[in-house]
Amino acid sequence: MYIDTIHDAIIGGEDELRQQLLEYQAILDNASLGIIFTRDRRFRHCNPRFSEMYGWPGNELIGQSTSIVYPSEQAFAALSSIAGPILGSGQRLDTELQMKRRDGSLFWCRMLGRAIDPSDHRKGTIFIVEDITERKNAEQALLRAHEELERRVQERTAELAMANARLHAEIQERKLAEQQIRYLAQHDALTGLPNRRLMEDRLEQAIEMARRHQGRVAVLFIDLDRFKPINDKHGHRVGDLLLQATAARLRKLLRAVDTVSRFGGDEFILVLPEMQSATAAVEAAQRVQGALAQPYFIEDHALSVTPSIGISLFPEHGQDASLLIGCADTAMYHAKKAGRANVQLFDPAMKT
């Protein structure tokens, strides 16, 4: 029975060893890199990828000198002189070199190698080879392009001096154009006031600042009463001049921290940070109302318009720009319904 147990253990060990060998062989067979085992500078084993790269059937390589995959005996000797000390010291060989296929064509490889036992070279060496021809070709193409560029630069130095002056002038012109584009993207073309996008950005900044310092921000939504009849009667030119005059009056009322924006048509929005109270916001709106209600003299026309103004406050009426603008707009419509030419502070009941 003891002999049977030993026999079973041996059989089991052989099965396990056979399974491990099958797994290792599967790894070699499916590796994307070429792998070879050499001893005494002769091939002892290679995987399918190595055979594919070099154009040699694996069974024909076995036993042959490893020099057959080098461009020349000199190249083989040069690598041997470098590889010997490295492998003998137990370090990993890592080099790039040209190698030769069976048909004589050359290609670039990256070769990694390590001795199985650095103290006994007779036990052989494992090499891993990667085809880096495409990378090398790209590097060489890049180098050639760089050299060509350097040549052209040297040939055209005098031309570039003049071109540089022209380019500097063009850059300055482009900067001015970009500044103008940015300005137009953020400002109303008719009045020069910040447009809706810029106003909303500044309102969000004011809200964030007020949130940090437990402050208030007031939003005043202004609509000019009976602007359309003036526009229809006197024409769009007079209507545009009236909007410009309104914008000029609003600018004069602002503090440095305030923002006035043309929201659209005959609607304007004022963003007033650092408001102490709802009463202060109403007082500010009343000053705006008084200033805008004064007569306008435009092209021999004496024109009068009055504003309807709605007010919303952060944080009482909303936590973001969109909500505050909506509340101020609602309050403005209530000012219209109340007979125009008046100020209304938003109340949640207005939405019911």
Side-chain angles (χ1 to χ4, degrees), residues 3-58:
I3 294 175
D4 291 340
T5 301
I6 294 176
H7 178 266
D8 291 342
I10 292 173
I11 296 300
E14 290 178 349
D15 290 342
E16 183 177 352
L17 179 60
R18 187 180 298 108
Q19 180 61 33
Q20 289 181 351
L21 290 174
L22 290 173
E23 291 173 357
Y24 293 154
Q25 187 64 48
I27 292 172
L28 291 173
D29 290 345
N30 292 281
S32 60
L33 302 175
I35 302 173
I36 56 172
F37 169 61
T38 68
R39 185 187 295 130
D40 296 330
R41 298 183 181 181
R42 293 186 177 276
F43 290 102
R44 296 303 179 191
H45 184 78
C46 70
N47 72 340
R49 176 57 181 152
F50 186 89
S51 297
E52 178 186 346
M53 289 169 58
Y54 287 81
W56 284 88

Side-chain angles (χ1 to χ4, degrees), residues 132-202:
I132 59 170
T133 304
E134 290 187 6
R135 174 166 69 79
K136 280 291 185 179
N137 289 342
E139 290 174 354
Q140 292 172 0
L142 184 62
L143 179 60
R144 289 194 297 270
H146 178 73
E147 291 173 348
E148 176 65 16
L149 179 61
E150 287 294 328
R151 183 184 66 79
R152 292 184 181 183
V153 168
Q154 292 174 2
E155 289 176 352
R156 298 182 59 187
T157 299
E159 295 179 19
L160 287 176
M162 296 180 60
N164 185 58
R166 292 194 300 269
L167 180 60
H168 180 73
E170 291 175 3
I171 289 173
Q172 292 301 110
E173 183 178 348
R174 184 175 300 172
K175 285 182 177 179
L176 292 174
E178 290 174 351
Q179 291 173 0
Q180 183 66 14
I181 290 171
R182 284 195 296 269
Y183 179 85
L184 293 175
Q186 296 179 331
H187 291 80
D188 173 52
L190 177 63
T191 63
L193 295 178
N195 60 16
R196 179 172 181 169
R197 180 187 302 173
L198 180 55
M199 178 273 296
E200 289 178 346
D201 181 64
R202 291 184 180 177

Side-chain angles (χ1 to χ4, degrees), residues 176-250:
L176 292 174
E178 290 174 351
Q179 291 173 0
Q180 183 66 14
I181 290 171
R182 284 195 296 269
Y183 179 85
L184 293 175
Q186 296 179 331
H187 291 80
D188 173 52
L190 177 63
T191 63
L193 295 178
N195 60 16
R196 179 172 181 169
R197 180 187 302 173
L198 180 55
M199 178 273 296
E200 289 178 346
D201 181 64
R202 291 184 180 177
L203 176 53
E204 289 289 0
Q205 293 179 34
I207 290 171
E208 183 59 31
M209 185 64 68
R211 185 178 284 116
R212 292 178 186 175
H213 299 284
Q214 291 77 48
R216 282 190 174 87
V217 180
V219 176
L220 277 57
F221 200 116
I222 303 168
D223 183 89
L224 301 182
D225 301 326
R226 300 184 178 87
F227 173 79
K228 188 176 184 302
I230 294 175
N231 202 47
D232 293 342
K233 179 179 180 180
H234 299 289
H236 291 295
R237 172 177 169 75
V238 171
D240 288 348
L241 292 174
L242 176 57
L243 292 173
Q244 290 173 346
T246 301
R249 291 188 184 184
L250 289 171

Side-chain angles (χ1 to χ4, degrees), residues 297-316:
F297 298 94
I298 298 174
E299 292 191 344
D300 300 326
H301 301 291
L303 306 174
S304 294
V305 292
T306 56
S308 292
I309 304 176
I311 306 170
S312 65
L313 291 170
F314 169 87
E316 290 92 330

Side-chain angles (χ1 to χ4, degrees), residues 113-130:
R114 191 180 291 275
I116 293 175
D117 183 350
S119 64
D120 186 358
H121 70 273
R122 292 173 300 177
K123 292 184 178 180
T125 306
I126 296 293
F127 291 96
I128 298 175
V129 183
E130 176 187 6

